[in-house]
Amino acid sequence: MYTEIQLVRVMVGYALARADSQRARARQGRTELGASALEWAIISAILVTAALLIGGIVKGVIDRRSKDIEQG
């Protein structure tokens, strides 16, 4: 679980840093990059959600298998 939290923090941190960078460029007059920042934020949110779902599924399988092993 701790590793999943670290992964989420890294992914969210990257998404926020990327969005901030794109917003700064958009403020300089390159407005087409503002749309790009929004696209990156959406893509990052989808990836974070997918990673959490996959991590949850893998954790569930491992927990079930370890319980089966403990029971014999």
Side-chain angles (χ1 to χ4, degrees):
M1 180 69 173
Y2 183 70
T3 308
E4 293 170 3
I5 293 171
Q6 286 178 322
L7 175 65
V8 170
R9 285 183 180 167
V10 168
M11 292 176 78
V12 169
Y14 172 77
L16 291 174
R18 178 79 183 185
D20 286 340
S21 171
Q22 293 295 336
R23 266 183 271 160
R25 288 182 185 169
R27 287 186 192 126
Q28 294 172 355
R30 294 186 275 175
T31 56
E32 73 278 357
L33 292 176
S36 180
L38 179 61
E39 292 166 0
W40 274 105
I42 292 170
I43 291 169
S44 298
I46 291 169
L47 291 176
V48 167
T49 303
L52 287 173
L53 289 173
I54 292 169
I57 291 169
V58 170
K59 184 178 183 318
V61 169
I62 291 172
D63 288 345
R64 274 186 255 122
R65 298 293 181 196
S66 64
K67 190 180 284 186
D68 290 345
I69 290 172
E70 289 173 2
Q71 290 177 354

